[in-house]
DNA sequence: CGAGCCATTGAGGCCCTTCAAACATAGTGG
DNA sequence: CCACTATGTTTGAAGGGCCTCAATGGCTCG
C-alpha cells in the first residue's frame, strides 16, 4: 500500500474518533482530514516532540505509534502524565498558554500531523464543529488523566498496573485498533514504572503477579488480556469512559 | 459592609484574575461580573456541589471559601484532585461532556456563582474574550493538576506536603488574598491525606518534620511559611505558574 | 562479537500503613 | 452551665509494600 493511502486511512481514524466523541457528522471534519494528510510527518523513538518551557505550536494528532506526556523533576525523576495513542490528539489547545508545562516524547517511532499555530487558530475559527470536537477531546483526555491521578494516590501496585492495562486496551479498542483482548503494548518496564510511580524492579514483580493471577500475558510488546472482567475488577475500574458529548 | 457589596468585591476578584491570566482588559468581563452578582449562592461545609455521574451544569465560580474536586474509588478510598480556591473556577467547560467524571465538594462554607448551561453557552457565544479567558483558566487549572500528578508519583511525603503549601500559597497570592507568607489553610489532616495519597497519621508526622525544619507553622487553620525559598527548594518546586496567555 | 538495552532475581532496609488509644477542641442539648 | 458527643490531632507499636543496590542473563544491532 502506498504511503499516501496509509496516511489517509490514519487521518480517517482521527476524524472518525472526533466525530464519535462529539456526536457530530463525519462531514464536519473533511477540512481537518485534508489538512492532516498534508501535514503528516515522522519522528524516531525517544525523540522529544516538544519540551517543557518551549512555546507550544498548534494542533498535533498521533497517526501511528505511541507517545507520552511527561514531566521531569529537578531531582531527575520522571513522571509520565499519560500515553498518547494512535488516533488521539496532544493538547490541542495548549497553544493558548505561552509555554508548555510538560514535555511530549515518542515512545516508539511515530507518525503524526502537526498544524502550525496560526493554521490551527484559523481552522477552529472557521469550523466551530471542529473547535467543539477538539474541546470535547481535551476534556476526555483530562478525564483519563484524572483517573490516573486517583491511581497514583489510592491504588496499590497490583491495582495500578491492572488499571493501566484496562485503560489502554479500552482506548485502543475505541479507535478500532485493538480487538479480542489483544493489543500492542510497547512501553518498557522502566516506562511503566515512570507512569505508575513504581520502580522498574517492582513493576517486574507485579507483572509476574498479574500473570500468576491469570489476568494477562505480556510478551514481545504485545498484551493479551486473559480475563477482562476479572482485570477490571482487580483494577477497581469504573467506566467514566464512553462519556460522549452532551 | 452590606452583603451585596461583598459579593461585588468578590465578583471583581474573579474578573480581575481572568483579565490578568488572559492578558485582556477588565472591561471585557463587565457582563460576566454582573452575572456573577446575580447568581451568587451559598453552601455549607461538606456539601457536595455536584457528584460524579451527574450531568454538569454551566460555569461555576468560587467567590469565598474552599472547595475540592475528588473521586471516590469502589473500595471507598477518596482522592482529591485539586483544591478550588476563592477567585477560581470549577471546570468551566465540563458541560461539554454528558456527565461529571468527578465530584465537587465544599471544604468550608462557600459562596459561589453558578450559571446555568444555556446561560453559559450564550455568554461564551456572545463574548469571545470571556470564552478565551475561560479556556485559558482551564488550561492553567490542568497544569496545576499535572504538577499534582507528578507529586503523587515522584515526591516523598515531605516534598509532597512542602509542594502543596507552596502551590496553595502562591495561588492565593495571585488572587490577592494571601500576603507576607500568611494564608488560610482550612483542610484537615485527613483532607490533606486524601489529597496527597498519604494516611492522616503520616500527614501528622510529616507536618511535625516540616515544623521542626523551621519551614512552616500551621495552627488553627492558618498557615505561615517561615522560609518560602527553603520550602520551594524542599518541594522541588518549579514555577510553571505565572504562565499567562500567549 | 562486543555493546547496549531490557527483563529478571536476590537481599536488605526504609517509608509509610494500619490498628489502637489518648487528648484537645468545639458545638449541642438537658 | 456542664455533661455529652463529634470531630480532629497526636502518639505508639508492629508490619508490609515498595525501594535501592547489585548482579545475571537474554535479546538486538551495528
Amino acid at each position: 500500500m502506498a504511503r499516501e493511502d496509509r496516511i489517509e486511512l490514519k487521518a480517517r481514524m482521527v476524524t472518525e474518533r472526533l466525530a464519535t466523541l462529539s456526536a457530530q457528522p463525519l462531514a464536519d471534519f473533511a477540512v481537518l482530514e485534508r489538512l492532516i494528510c498534508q501535514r503528516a510527518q515522522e519522528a524516531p523513538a525517544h525523540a522529544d516532540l516538544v519540551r517543557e518551557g518551549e512555546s507550544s505550536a498548534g494542533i498535533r494528532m498521533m497517526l501511528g505509534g505511541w507517545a507520552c506526556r511527561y514531566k521531569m523533576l529537578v531531582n531527575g525523576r520522571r513522571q509520565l502524565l499519560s500515553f498518547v495513542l494512535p488516533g488521539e490528539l496532544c493538547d490541542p489547545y495548549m497553544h493558548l498558554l505561552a509555554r508548555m508545562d510538560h514535555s511530549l516524547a515518542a515512545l516508539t517511532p511515530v507518525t503524526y500531523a502537526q498544524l502550525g499555530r496560526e493554521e490551527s487558530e484559523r481552522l477552529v475559527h472557521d469550523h466551530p464543529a471542529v473547535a467543539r470536537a477538539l474541546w470535547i477531546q481535551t476534556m476526555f483526555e483530562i478525564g483519563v488523566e484524572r483517573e490516573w491521578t486517583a491511581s497514583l494516590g489510592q491504588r496499590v501496585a497490583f491495582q495500578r498496573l491492572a488499571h493501566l492495562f484496562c485503560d489502554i486496551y479500552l482506548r485502543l479498542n475505541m479507535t478500532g485498533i485493538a480487538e479480542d483482548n489483544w493489543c500492542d503494548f510497547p512501553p518498557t518496564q522502566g516506562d511503566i514504572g515512570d507512569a505508575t510511580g513504581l520502580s522498574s524492579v517492582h513493576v517486574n514483580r507485579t507483572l509476574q503477579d498479574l500473570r500468576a493471577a491469570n489476568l494477562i500475558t505480556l510478551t514481545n510488546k504485545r498484551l493479551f488480556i486473559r480475563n477482562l472482567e476479572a482485570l477490571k475488577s482487580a483494577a477497581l475500574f469504573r467506566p467514566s469512559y464512553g462519556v460522549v458529548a452532551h
Side-chain angles (χ1 to χ4, degrees), chain A:
Chain A
M1 198 190 295
R3 180 171 179 278
E4 290 69 32
D5 291 345
R6 277 185 284 117
I7 296 292
E8 278 168 20
L9 278 177
K10 289 171 175 176
R12 172 59 54 92
M13 177 177 69
V14 171
T15 52
E16 269 177 354
R17 184 189 155 88
L18 286 174
T20 305
L21 209 57
S22 67
Q24 298 175 138
L26 191 56
D28 288 353
F29 301 92
V31 173
L32 177 62
E33 198 169 311
R34 259 195 309 283
L35 263 176
I36 293 174
C37 294
Q38 290 163 15
R39 296 288 182 277
Q41 50 185 290
E42 311 204 334
H46 307 300
D48 273 335
L49 303 186
V50 59
R51 283 206 184 81
E52 180 169 353
E54 291 179 3
S55 94
S56 70
I59 302 165
R60 191 192 327 255
M61 290 146 285
M62 294 302 302
L63 302 177
W66 287 36
C68 67
R69 265 183 270 279
Y70 71 92
K71 264 178 178 279
M72 292 293 309
L73 273 69
V74 290
N75 61 358
R77 301 180 64 101
R78 181 174 79 141
Q79 176 65 44
L80 299 201
L81 301 166
S82 64
F83 291 109
V84 186
L85 309 180
E88 298 188 342
L89 279 67
C90 331
D91 305 306
Y93 280 94
M94 204 63 210
H95 62 276
L96 283 175
L97 296 189
R99 293 184 287 125
M100 290 292 291
D101 62 14
H102 62 274
S103 305
L104 186 71
L107 278 176
T108 67
V110 293
T111 311
Y112 65 101
Q114 166 77 65
L115 309 189
R117 176 193 303 270
E118 279 132 39
E119 199 169 28
S120 302
E121 289 183 346
R122 208 176 325 120
L123 178 73
V124 302
H125 182 267
D126 296 344
H127 302 274
V130 173
R132 185 161 173 281
L134 292 181
W135 280 121
I136 289 170
Q137 155 71 25
T138 300
M139 298 311 285
F140 173 87
E141 194 175 278
I142 295 167
V144 173
E145 288 186 28
R146 284 193 172 126
E147 192 61 51
W148 201 246
T149 303
S151 260
L152 288 171
Q154 303 299 336
R155 279 183 255 255
V156 298
F158 190 86
Q159 301 166 334
R160 241 180 265 184
L161 290 191
H163 195 277
L164 173 63
F165 295 133
C166 286
D167 175 34
I168 296 292
Y169 173 72
L170 293 175
R171 273 159 67 197
L172 289 172
N173 184 255
M174 273 180 69
T175 335
I177 49 181
E179 280 181 329
D180 302 326
N181 294 354
W182 276 100
C183 66
D184 286 336
F185 198 89
T188 66
Q189 294 182 3
D191 292 330
I192 300 176
D194 287 348
T196 53
L198 301 168
S199 70
S200 63
V201 171
H202 198 61
V203 167
N204 183 288
R205 294 188 165 120
T206 308
L207 283 175
Q208 294 177 38
D209 294 342
L210 281 161
R211 288 191 264 250
N214 254 300
L215 294 175
I216 61 152
T217 335
L218 177 59
T219 34
N220 283 90
K221 315 285 184 197
R222 292 280 295 168
L223 169 69
F224 175 56
I225 299 180
R226 307 181 78 83
N227 186 337
L228 183 54
E229 286 314 310
L231 188 66
K232 280 184 181 176
S233 163
L236 310 177
F237 189 84
R238 209 168 27 164
S240 62
Y241 293 63
V243 179
V244 296
H246 193 90

